[in-house]
């Protein structure tokens, strides 16, 4: 999916990017046999699945899709448990994760864009999280019109306690891999998330 540049940084192959990459769960199954599909279009085998002008995937795409769905399900199960324990909506937990992972102070506008929600839905979400003591609205000193969303320290600690088993699972799963292998795995996951973020979706109405 990406190649190394001379500086060692991954360089994405852009072939077919304009057409949009299909989510892993919608990946086509590898052809059982033969050099092409019934329509005559080229179709690589299990070692290099490709469709149209998308780059070939040098691996078992179907197996990757299965494992990604498994991971999504397992992580989702832990998230649902946390939401139920905290009396939160699933969207509320997504908002908390976005606030926690944001490289810069989160604003309601950025949160709306990240979650694909309407302005009203984001306001309702933040109101619920603020009432429950998970976040607080803080106005910027230099511009009082700008509101930042901050994760309350005690709530952050509770979340870390609940989700610690996920971190422990990563440690156990990675114990048999060396640093180079883990760096490749992280690079792939980062690239995959970047490409998935480019998959077009419906814009939320105001």
């Amino acid at each position: 999916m990406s190649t190394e540049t001379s500086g060692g940084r991954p360089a994405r192959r852009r072939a077919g990017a304009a057409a949009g990459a299909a989510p892993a769960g919608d990946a086509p199954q590898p052809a059982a046999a033969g050099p092409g599909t019934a329509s005559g279009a080229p179709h690589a085998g299990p070692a290099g699945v490709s469709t149209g002008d998308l780059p070939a995937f040098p691996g078992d795409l179907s197996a990757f899709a299965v494992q990604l769905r498994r991971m999504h399900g397992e992580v989702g199960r832990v998230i649902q448990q946390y939401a139920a324990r905290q009396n939160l909506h699933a969207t509320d937990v997504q908002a908390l994760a976005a606030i926690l992972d944001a490289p810069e102070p989160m604003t309601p506008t950025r949160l709306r864009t990240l979650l694909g929600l309407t302005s009203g839905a984001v306001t309702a979400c933040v109101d619920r999280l603020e009432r429950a003591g998970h976040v607080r609205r803080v106005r910027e000193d230099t511009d009082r019109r700008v509101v930042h969303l901050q994760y309350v320290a005690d709530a952050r600690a509770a979340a870390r306690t609940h989700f610690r088993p996920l971190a422990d699972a990563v440690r156990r799963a990675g114990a048999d891999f060396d640093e180079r292998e883990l760096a490749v795995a992280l690079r792939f996951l980062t690239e995959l998330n970047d490409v998935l973020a480019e998959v077009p979706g419906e814009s939320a109405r105001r």
Side-chain angles (χ1 to χ4, degrees):
M1 183 172 281
S2 62
T3 55
E4 291 286 336
T5 63
S6 59
R9 298 177 61 188
R12 184 180 306 168
R13 293 176 183 168
R14 284 295 181 183
D26 296 331
Q29 296 295 322
T37 63
S39 63
H43 193 308
V49 176
S50 65
T51 57
D53 61 348
L54 292 177
F57 186 83
D60 190 335
L61 187 58
S62 179
F64 267 84
V66 169
Q67 295 306 320
L68 287 171
R69 284 194 294 268
R70 275 191 64 195
M71 184 175 68
H72 180 269
E74 296 298 339
V75 173
R77 175 175 55 81
V78 178
I79 291 174
Q80 289 171 359
Q81 290 172 348
Y82 181 74
R85 179 176 295 179
Q86 299 293 326
N87 292 317
L88 298 175
H89 295 208
T91 301
D92 298 341
V93 181
Q94 286 182 310
L96 287 174
I99 295 169
L100 178 66
D101 296 337
E104 57 190 27
M106 181 63 72
T107 65
T109 299
R110 285 193 61 228
L111 188 62
R112 178 175 70 85
T113 301
L114 286 172
L115 300 184
L117 300 175
T118 64
S119 296
V122 165
T123 298
C125 173
V126 175
D127 286 345
R128 288 193 301 269
L129 291 174
E130 193 168 38
R131 284 195 303 268
H134 291 275
V135 302
R136 59 171 171 260
R137 292 177 170 97
V138 178
R139 294 197 176 272
E140 193 177 68
D141 292 335
T142 57
D143 188 347
R144 303 296 293 175
R145 296 170 299 178
V146 177
V147 175
H148 291 159
L149 304 176
Q150 294 184 352
Y151 214 136
V152 175
D154 289 345
R156 183 196 294 255
R160 283 180 172 169
T161 298
H162 180 88
F163 289 106
R164 184 170 294 126
L166 292 182
D168 294 343
V170 173
R171 288 178 179 274
R172 291 198 302 270
D176 292 332
F177 296 83
D178 61 32
E179 185 176 354
R180 176 182 172 83
E181 290 173 319
L182 291 175
V184 172
L186 179 60
R187 198 183 86 197
F188 173 75
L189 289 174
T190 301
E191 178 74 4
L192 177 60
N193 282 324
D194 288 345
V195 174
L196 287 174
E198 296 173 355
V199 176
E202 293 183 2
S203 298
R205 295 180 179 177
R206 294 180 180 275

